Amino acid sequence: MPDPECRVGPRGLRRGAALTLVFASVLATAAATGSLPHGGGHDTEVETRSVAAAADRDAVADAAAEAVADGKSGTEAAEEVVSRSGDRWGAVYDEREYQEFEQALDGSYTGVGIAARRSADGLVAVARVQPGSPAEGAGIRAGDVLRTVDGSRVDRRPVSDVVALLRGDRTGAAAGTTVVLGVQRGSVTRTETLRRARLATETVSVQRLGPDRSDSSAAVLIEVDSFTKGSGDAVRDAVLGAPAGAGVLLDLRGNSGGLVTEAVTAASAFLDGGLVATYDVHGEQRALYAEAGGDTERPVVVLIDGGTMSAAELLTGALQDRGRAVTVGSRTFGKGSVQMPSRLAGGSVAELTVGHYRTPAGSSVDGHGITPDLAVSTRAQQRAETVLSGLGGGS
């Protein structure tokens, strides 16, 4: 799981997931491409949600304004209202946090350049080290095990907690602050002091599959960690650059979402136009469409798991419902709600749920997730490669 998408604890998870649908950009893109439907129906459930959302938004704004007028924290007052509202994905950010939020979506973050994962023996291991990062400069490499962060043992802590410590989320650590890591390689554990830096995210990685990765016809693995700015184009470029006829294994495991516009662009790499998702905002029904001209011929398998969320679920649902890909893995997280930001008194920002999206076949994702065509709990990538080979996509 890469640094820029992670938050800490239940409230932190809510904040991290709020990152997955920044809806202003969705509206702008939909309007620019003419994808907003004319008219649109309203059902009672949607209208009820719309009224409730408007009331919550007003209550949050009023609480923040009153607190600021009394010389208190508008952020804390707004957080209290949101916590009572029942909005599972609602969140409030202070000015610094929201700046980090926006920078992450723009493709940058403060950290040391380590992507972490849970190892086979349950420890927290380094999955990838970003080139040019403080971690690379310290000689840390993939496969190393993180034992401690600033003196605290992290052996069995959730990966998201460990990444948050690396970033300094809890303390608001900025670029230039230090973090001390206990790093194990083999039987040797050493201590490294790293200085956090402002880094560009690398959310899409591409490699060939199979025993002979130099084979020009080998299938292509495209891993997408999150949908920040440019991720959709990176997926499209990877598909365009794949050998003719070679299959694509699209790995969305652990992808906690990002910008919906980027997920739509990624879908456009595999579709020749058509519906990607429908959604409602304040009771109005709308839709998102793929661009024409995508590759509709090469075999595609999508890998998913319980960490596949929101914008990543939107992409998965579009490819599954449109018959464009076989999905392999485990049921996705089930985060299909839409948040819209609003500025509060005192400078904080509230992200409140204003709608929900559905797959092209009309299935609701929120609270349900997406069930894979082939459910597997172990050796998922190996099974996915087998399926891709069976579809004629190589291995």
Side-chain angles (χ1 to χ4, degrees):
M1 188 176 294
D3 290 5
E5 293 286 334
C6 299
R7 297 291 189 270
V8 186
R11 178 169 173 272
L13 175 60
R14 194 164 63 239
R15 288 187 171 198
L19 176 69
T20 58
L21 284 170
V22 174
F23 211 65
S25 62
V26 174
L27 296 177
T29 298
T33 59
S35 62
L36 298 181
H38 303 290
H42 297 256
D43 59 43
T44 302
E45 180 185 359
V46 168
E47 288 179 348
T48 300
R49 285 202 304 254
S50 176
V51 171
D56 289 343
R57 185 172 63 250
D58 291 343
V60 170
D62 290 346
E66 290 175 9
V68 170
D70 290 340
K72 300 177 182 178
S73 169
T75 302
E76 292 180 1
E79 286 177 340
E80 185 176 346
V81 175
V82 170
S83 68
R84 296 198 307 261
S85 71
D87 186 344
R88 183 184 181 193
W89 301 114
V92 179
Y93 303 82
D94 63 28
E95 288 185 274
R96 184 198 62 79
E97 289 172 330
Y98 199 70
Q99 184 179 36
E100 286 284 322
F101 173 101
E102 291 181 310
Q103 288 174 337
L105 289 173
D106 282 338
S108 66
Y109 69 103
T110 298
V112 296
I114 291 176
R117 61 175 173 80
R118 181 70 60 191
S119 67
D121 53 2
L123 301 177
V124 178
V126 176
R128 187 171 63 255
V129 175
Q130 185 167 332
S133 67
E136 184 187 55
I140 296 172
R141 65 190 188 207
D144 288 349
V145 175
L146 298 179
R147 288 294 191 176
T148 61
V149 177
D150 286 334
S152 299
R153 295 193 66 85
V154 296
D155 292 349
R156 301 293 173 180
R157 294 186 67 168
V159 172
S160 59
D161 280 11
V162 177
V163 173
L165 291 172
L166 295 175
R167 285 176 46 113
D169 280 352
R170 289 180 173 176
T171 59
T177 58
T178 59
V179 58
V180 181
L181 307 184
V183 182
Q184 181 180 338
R185 182 179 300 162
S187 59
V188 178
T189 299
R190 69 186 193 279
T191 299
E192 296 286 352
T193 299
L194 279 65
R195 193 172 296 277
R196 296 182 180 94
R198 197 77 204 167
L199 301 171
T201 57
E202 294 184 333
T203 59
V204 179
S205 59
V206 184
Q207 61 178 290
R208 295 283 175 82
L209 291 172
D212 182 7
R213 297 189 180 186
S214 63
D215 182 354
S216 61
S217 63
V220 175
L221 170 64
I222 304 175
E223 296 179 86
V224 187
D225 293 329
S226 60
F227 286 104
T228 58
K229 188 174 292 184
S231 299
D233 283 336
V235 171
R236 188 159 53 186
D237 290 345
V239 174
L240 288 173
V248 169
L249 179 55
L250 182 63
D251 190 350
L252 300 180
R253 291 175 297 178
N255 184 318
S256 57
L259 293 165
V260 167
T261 48
E262 297 297 330
V264 173
T265 298
S268 299
F270 305 100
L271 300 170
D272 186 15
L275 186 64
V276 173
T278 58
Y279 59 91
D280 61 272
V281 176
H282 296 316
E284 182 179 352
Q285 300 299 295
R286 299 173 180 174
L288 294 167
Y289 294 94
E291 296 178 13
D295 187 326
T296 61
E297 299 299 325
R298 70 175 73 245
V300 180
V301 171
V302 180
L303 261 173
I304 55 176
D305 66 6
T308 304
M309 298 173 63
S310 199
E313 291 177 284
L314 182 150
L315 172 58
T316 301
L319 298 183
Q320 184 184 59
D321 281 5
R322 301 269 312 264
R324 186 60 191 90
V326 176
T327 53
V328 176
S330 53
R331 183 187 294 271
T332 61
F333 185 86
K335 199 273 181 179
S337 57
V338 178
Q339 281 72 47
M340 184 176 288
S342 59
R343 187 74 62 175
L344 304 176
S348 57
V349 176
E351 289 265 354
L352 301 178
T353 300
V354 296
H356 297 78
Y357 71 78
R358 295 177 180 271
T359 69
S363 299
S364 174
V365 174
D366 203 51
H368 303 285
I370 294 173
T371 302
D373 299 311
L374 175 62
V376 294
S377 55
T378 59
R379 303 171 70 185
Q381 182 168 330
Q382 183 178 35
R383 295 290 298 276
E385 290 182 30
T386 300
V387 172
L388 187 60
S389 177
L391 295 174
S395 62

